Amino acid sequence: MNRDNAGPGQNGAAASDAVLELVGLGKDYGARTAVQAIDLVIRRGEIFGLLGPNGAGKTTTISMACGVVPPSRGTARIAGHDIRSDAFAAKRAIGLVPQDLALYDDLSPRQNLAFFGQLYGLTGAELARRIDWALGVAGLGDRAGDLVKTFSGGMKRRLNLAAGLIHQPTLLVLDEPTVGVDPQSRRHIFDSIRALQARGMTILYTSHYMEEVEELCDRVAIMDAGAVVASGTLAELRAQHGAGGLEVEIDGDGDAIAAAAAAAAPLGGTRTGAVLRFEPRPAYAPALAAIEATGAQIKRIGAQRADLETVFLALTGRGLRDA
Ligand SMILES: Nc1ncnc2c1ncn2[C@@H]1O[C@H](COP(=O)(O)OP(=O)(O)O)[C@@H](O)[C@H]1O
Ligand SMILES: [Mg+2]
C-alpha cells in the first residue's frame, strides 16, 4: 500500500482511529506519584490489555480516563472528547466495569440495570430493551428477578459487566473483572468480551494475570510503578523483550548429566534431573557445543516460547507474580 496516498500517514491514521488517547496523564496522591505521565492510544475495535502487578497504577490510570479521578497532569480523550473540557460527552462514550463491585445487593439484576440505565437517560421501552440485551450478554436472563445478595461472586461480576454496558458505550473498560470468579463465569466473561468486540466495541482490559491478557488481548501495555514500560502486540513484546528459554535434555547416566551440567553452568544453565535449562535463551551453537564436548548425548532440545512473565522480568528484573 502506498502510504502517501492512504491518508494523513501513520500518526494521522492512528489519531482518527483512536477511541482512547492518554496524553501525559498522571496522578499524585500527596507526595506519592501513583501514575507518572502516560501516553497511550487505544484503537477502534481492539481488545487492549493493561497488565501490571498490584499497585502498578492500572486502576488510577483508567479511573482518570473515565473521569472518576481528576488527573494531576495531562488529559485523556475518549472518542475525541476531552475529559477535562468535554466531560459529559467523554463519560457517555465510556462504560466502566470497576474493580470493586458497584451493585445494589438488595435489588434484582433488572432493578440494578434500570437504575444505571436511568442515569444515562434511558427510559421506557428502550430501557427495557437494553436491560434484556445486557442481561443476555451477562448470561443472567434466568436470574433477572432474584436478589443480587443471593448471587455467587461470578454472577455478581457478570452483572457488574452488564451495568457497564447498559448505555452501549463506544469503549468498555474492565478493571480486573475476573478476580474471585469461578472458571465458568470467567469463561463467560471472556466469551462476552469477544462477542462485544465482534459487534464493534473497543475494550480496555486491566489485569495482573498475564495468562488472561495473553489469551484475550490484541495489544498490551505493561505497567510498573506508575509507568508504561512497554507496549505493542504480544509478538512485538516477545520479540523485543523476551527471548524465552532453552531446554536441553541429556541422555545418559548421572555422571554424564553432571558433566554436561558443569559445562552448562558458566553459560547460565541450571539442572533439574536430566534437563538443563537456560533462561534467557543463550546462543544455541556454543551452548550445545559445550554440552557435547563433555561427551554427553543430547536427547531433546526444546525452545521455550517467551511469555509476558518473561517480558516483565526482562523489563523490571522482577516477576509479575511476586512483584
Ligand atoms: N486514593 C488513593 N490515595 C492514595 N494512594 C492511592 C489511592 N489510590 C491508589 N493509590 C496508590 O497508587 C498506587 C497505584 O494504585 P492502583 O492504581 O490501585 O494500582 P493497580 O490498580 O495497578 O493495583 C498504589 O501505590 C496505591 O497505593
Ligand atoms: Mg487495580
Side-chain angles (χ1 to χ4, degrees):
M1 185 171 73
N2 183 345
R3 286 239 168 241
D4 292 340
N5 294 332
Q10 248 188 323
N11 287 333
S16 63
D17 227 24
V19 167
L20 176 65
E21 296 164 86
L22 308 185
V23 188
L25 189 66
K27 180 72 184 178
D28 303 326
Y29 287 107
R32 170 192 286 260
T33 297
V35 176
Q36 298 181 24
I38 292 188
D39 295 295
L40 209 58
V41 173
I42 316 292
R43 301 188 193 121
R44 187 167 302 279
E46 70 181 351
I47 303 180
F48 192 98
L50 195 56
L51 175 71
N54 287 326
K58 304 180 299 293
T59 296
T60 305
T61 300
I62 61 171
S63 299
M64 290 189 285
C66 294
V68 177
V69 165
S72 303
R73 63 197 142 265
T75 193
R77 284 189 286 271
I78 303 157
H81 305 289
D82 195 293
I83 52 161
R84 287 180 182 271
S85 57
D86 198 1
F88 186 77
K91 284 186 189 180
R92 261 204 102 81
I94 206 164
L96 175 63
V97 180
Q99 183 171 352
D100 299 321
L101 293 169
L103 300 168
Y104 294 98
D105 257 7
D106 289 321
L107 299 180
S108 69
R110 196 174 285 286
Q111 289 166 326
N112 267 279
L113 294 176
F115 172 79
F116 291 112
Q118 284 158 7
L119 289 182
Y120 287 97
L122 295 166
T123 55
E126 178 63 10
L127 176 61
R129 198 181 61 75
R130 296 285 186 94
I131 290 173
D132 286 339
W133 171 74
L135 285 170
V137 172
L140 291 171
D142 56 341
R143 299 292 301 268
D146 299 351
L147 292 187
V148 170
K149 64 183 170 197
T150 67
F151 280 16
S152 69
M155 291 165 70
K156 287 182 183 176
R157 282 273 156 210
R158 278 147 57 192
L159 180 58
N160 205 42
L161 166 67
L165 283 174
I166 193 75
H167 60 298
Q168 297 188 327
T170 306
L171 173 68
L172 182 69
V173 180
L174 300 116
D175 196 2
E176 311 247 9
T178 62
V179 167
V181 311
D182 54 286
Q184 197 188 339
S185 284
R186 181 176 172 280
R187 180 58 36 216
H188 189 101
I189 289 169
F190 271 40
D191 290 346
S192 303
I193 291 170
R194 289 202 188 87
L196 292 165
Q197 180 192 34
R199 66 194 289 288
M201 204 172 275
T202 305
I203 315 283
L204 174 56
Y205 188 98
T206 89
S207 180
H208 66 281
Y209 298 124
M210 63 131 192
E211 295 88 351
E212 294 194 344
V213 169
E214 290 198 328
E215 180 181 341
L216 196 61
C217 299
D218 302 311
R219 288 198 306 137
V220 181
I222 298 180
M223 267 194 94
D224 186 45
V228 170
V229 294
S231 67
T233 63
L234 287 176
E236 287 166 353
L237 291 173
R238 283 189 194 118
Q240 287 163 17
H241 305 287
L246 175 71
E247 273 184 11
V248 181
E249 190 175 346
I250 306 301
D251 196 7
D253 59 18
D255 287 348
I257 297 168
L267 301 167
T270 54
R271 175 183 170 182
T272 308
V275 175
L276 305 178
R277 215 181 128 58
F278 300 81
E279 176 101 53
R281 187 183 301 168
Y284 271 65
L288 298 182
I291 292 166
E292 285 178 327
T294 68
Q297 297 286 313
I298 292 174
K299 186 174 178 182
R300 180 181 64 88
I301 298 171
Q304 292 226 310
R305 205 192 61 156
D307 58 22
L308 286 174
E309 179 75 28
T310 323
V311 173
F312 188 82
L313 188 67
L315 286 163
T316 67
R318 287 173 292 123
L320 255 175
R321 286 171 219 285
D322 48 54

